[in-house]
Amino acid sequence: LSEFLRVVEQDNKMTHNNHFALIGRNVAYSKSKDIFEAIFKLVGGHGKFDLFDVEPVEFEHRIKTLALDGVSGFSVTIPYKSTVIKFLDDIDPVARALEAVNSVCVDNSRLLRYNTDCYGFGIPLLNHNERLKHGHALILGCGGAARAVLYSLYVDLEVRKFTVAGRCRSKLTEFTQKLGSRFERATI
């Protein structure tokens, strides 16, 4: 967050307007717009945040036009965290391992990708590393955020045993097979 605030503050000193967005389905509930507006107010800058509730048939077109619309970056949420990957110019190792992207940076019309869910989950738990190390975790869900949680617990906190509960048996099976093969020392 401090790096983000520094960039926003620096950009605003150059009278650059910051334009960010969230793209997904049924996103009206999101508090992202309120959070970004509070950040802009905090740093005394100008900015805009849009919510894009996009149907699957419109997704590819909307992704391609975000950069042209002057968006500096955008968040990706359900159900597009995996779908978005094929439209990006570059992907970081964490997002590649998780097969899920939740943050996209627009840099000279290039779409660069990240997964920040694992950091948002794991960083607050770092002070409890010794208690969690080699422990057992229950993960509810088997989507992109659940993959990030497992990744963070495994890589950053050295948890090695996981119980995953999900509503859809086929997605749960796919989740456990994919992540089980990536994290060989884990029991899922």
Side-chain angles (χ1 to χ4, degrees):
L1 179 62
S2 61
E3 177 65 14
F4 172 76
L5 290 173
R6 186 191 63 72
V7 169
V8 169
E9 194 167 31
Q10 180 181 4
D11 282 351
N12 282 317
K13 287 178 184 170
M14 298 185 301
T15 68
H16 178 269
N17 284 339
N18 294 288
H19 186 185
F20 299 97
L22 171 67
I23 188 167
R25 286 291 298 126
N26 304 316
V27 296
Y29 70 89
S30 174
K31 298 297 180 200
S32 295
K33 184 173 183 150
D34 297 331
I35 292 167
F36 272 78
E37 287 174 353
I39 291 170
F40 294 136
K41 186 176 180 180
L42 179 71
V43 299
H46 302 282
K48 180 178 179 183
F49 193 93
D50 291 315
L51 299 176
F52 293 106
D53 192 338
V54 178
E55 295 288 336
V57 296
E58 303 168 340
F59 184 72
E60 181 177 359
H61 173 73
R62 194 68 196 119
I63 287 294
K64 291 177 179 178
T65 61
L66 281 172
L68 299 174
D69 290 345
V71 172
S72 305
F74 56 94
S75 300
V76 181
T77 193
I78 296 169
Y80 302 121
K81 288 184 179 188
S82 294
T83 307
V84 72
I85 292 172
K86 63 184 170 189
F87 304 112
L88 304 177
D89 297 302
D90 195 12
I91 184 168
D92 79 335
V94 173
R96 186 176 311 286
L98 297 173
E99 296 180 0
V101 166
N102 73 331
S103 298
V104 177
C105 173
V106 180
D107 184 21
N108 293 322
S109 297
R110 292 185 69 228
L111 300 177
L112 313 174
R113 61 322 140 238
Y114 305 93
N115 189 305
T116 60
D117 285 337
C118 55
Y119 307 115
F121 175 80
I123 288 173
L125 296 175
L126 289 176
N127 291 336
H128 306 283
N129 189 17
E130 288 307 312
R131 280 185 50 199
L132 297 170
K133 191 174 186 176
H134 304 293
H136 185 176
L138 169 63
I139 298 176
L140 303 175
C142 51
R147 281 180 268 181
V149 166
L150 190 141
Y151 179 93
S152 179
L153 288 168
Y154 182 84
V155 172
D156 300 326
L157 301 166
E158 299 182 55
V159 173
R160 295 296 182 250
K161 187 172 181 184
F162 300 92
T163 299
V164 181
R167 293 181 292 187
C168 178
R169 185 175 302 274
S170 63
K171 287 182 182 181
L172 188 58
T173 300
E174 179 183 352
F175 178 92
T176 57
Q177 287 174 347
K178 280 186 177 181
L179 292 177
S181 67
R182 285 197 179 92
F183 304 114
E184 295 171 359
R185 294 189 331 246
T187 303
I188 303 174

